Amino acid sequence: MPRLTRWFIKSALLYFAVSMLAGVAVSAQGVMRLPPVVAALMPVYVHLFMVGWITQMIFGVAHWMFPRVAKESADRVQRLALVTYVTLNVGLLVRAVAEPAFALRPGPVWAGMLILSAGLQWISALAFVATAWPRVRER
Amino acid sequence: MPRLSRWFVRASLVYFVAGFTLGAVMLTLKAVTWPQAAGWLMTPHIEFLLIGWTVQLTMGVAFWILPRFDGGRSRGSAGAAWLAFALLNVGVILAASEPLFHGAGFTRLSGRAAEASAVAAFCLHAWPRIRAASAQKRER
């Protein structure tokens, strides 16, 4: 298993565990008094699960199992895969902090971080597709 | 990777970029405190990422890697899998376009029906391929 795949999958497992805990916190609101920040965790819970766990797991396995590219393109694919990993995780972590913070105290700093997070995650999607598309081939 | 898997996976990558683009636009609109403008993007955002991306990618990879027949020469009823591909994509487009028709329930319903038919067709294809390694060895 390539090193970057191990990073993707280990990070995905961490997000899986954290998103489940966030789900417990969101659900606990119905039965006990919790700080208002918990109410703002719903979109974070969904995205930690769908992006941090499911999507990142797919990235890792695809990086490992899809047919290989020619040797001359391998470095480029490796660099783009690293960009995918960094932008996805930084973007998601920024979102996890900024989204509840913005819901509680809207302001230009948190708004700017949300836009930064949107941009980083979008770049990660483009970088992943740029690496995966040429590898979707017969052999 | 067989031709149908390439179609499934490439279509899933297209939906992935489309879904992430809509998500980035929605998050940006939220940040500029104009979230209501993003409301109508929610349906295609979810449809593209949940069905168009994850389900379609799973089907494509399953068609590729599930055990084969005739010593590896056949993947069984490929017609049912092609039908699943067509129905799934029609379904995603229909269900995602619901906001364009001002929330007309018929568009979403027909999209969901097409997606459900796609899943039924794919199960029909995949079911016989899920078998023990010993069955494969006996064929060889």
Side-chain angles (χ1 to χ4, degrees):
Chain A
M1 195 184 277
R3 183 194 297 175
L4 204 49
T5 290
R6 300 198 301 271
W7 290 3
F8 273 124
I9 294 179
K10 283 181 176 169
S11 304
L13 289 171
L14 288 175
Y15 281 114
F16 188 27
V18 173
S19 68
M20 289 293 102
L21 289 176
V24 170
V26 169
S27 303
Q29 265 191 306
V31 290
M32 62 181 80
R33 280 179 69 107
L34 290 169
V37 70
V38 176
L41 276 183
M42 188 62 187
V44 172
Y45 159 54
V46 172
H47 286 90
L48 289 180
F49 187 87
M50 281 306 298
V51 180
W53 160 234
I54 303 275
T55 298
Q56 183 147 235
M57 181 65 117
I58 291 171
F59 284 2
V61 175
H63 184 66
W64 177 26
M65 289 191 61
F66 274 16
R68 306 259 159 84
V69 288
K71 269 185 186 160
E72 53 269 25
S73 310
D75 282 349
R76 184 184 141 271
V77 164
Q78 193 64 23
R79 278 196 301 274
L80 276 172
L82 187 61
V83 169
T84 305
Y85 178 81
V86 172
T87 50
L88 186 86
N89 285 288
V90 174
L92 195 53
L93 290 173
V94 169
R95 178 181 196 155
V97 174
E99 197 162 24
F102 183 76
L104 296 178
R105 288 196 189 83
V109 173
W110 296 124
M113 286 180 73
L114 279 183
I115 294 169
L116 172 72
S117 159
L120 286 170
Q121 289 179 85
W122 187 65
I123 289 168
S124 81
L126 296 182
F128 173 70
V129 172
T131 62
W133 193 275
R135 297 179 65 182
V136 182
R137 59 205 180 102
E138 199 162 358
R139 60 182 84 234
Chain B
M1 196 185 282
R3 187 197 294 179
L4 178 56
S5 289
R6 300 200 298 273
W7 280 89
F8 266 127
V9 173
R10 284 192 175 141
S12 79
L13 291 174
V14 170
Y15 284 121
F16 175 60
V17 169
F20 256 56
T21 302
L22 293 178
V25 170
M26 288 165 69
L27 197 54
T28 303
L29 288 172
K30 189 181 212 177
V32 297
T33 57
W34 199 27
Q36 62 276 23
W40 71 274
L41 297 177
M42 186 62 93
T43 300
H45 172 63
I46 293 173
E47 201 67 33
F48 287 170
L49 290 175
L50 215 55
I51 311 291
W53 159 237
T54 52
V55 172
Q56 183 146 236
L57 183 78
T58 307
M59 285 181 171
V61 173
F63 184 78
W64 176 28
I65 66 170
L66 283 177
R68 288 181 248 171
F69 304 105
D70 297 335
R73 285 187 297 277
S74 166
R75 287 188 165 81
S77 56
W82 276 103
L83 181 65
F85 173 75
L87 285 170
L88 191 80
N89 284 284
V90 169
V92 170
I93 298 294
L94 280 173
S97 61
E98 191 221 29
L100 296 177
F101 300 100
H102 308 289
F106 179 74
T107 319
R108 181 186 290 202
L109 176 64
S110 48
R112 291 272 184 267
E115 288 167 1
S117 308
V119 170
F122 193 80
C123 289
L124 209 64
H125 161 80
W127 196 272
R129 291 180 65 183
I130 299 162
R131 60 215 185 109
S134 56
Q136 277 179 280
K137 276 184 191 158
R138 273 201 303 274
E139 271 185 11
R140 288 175 189 155

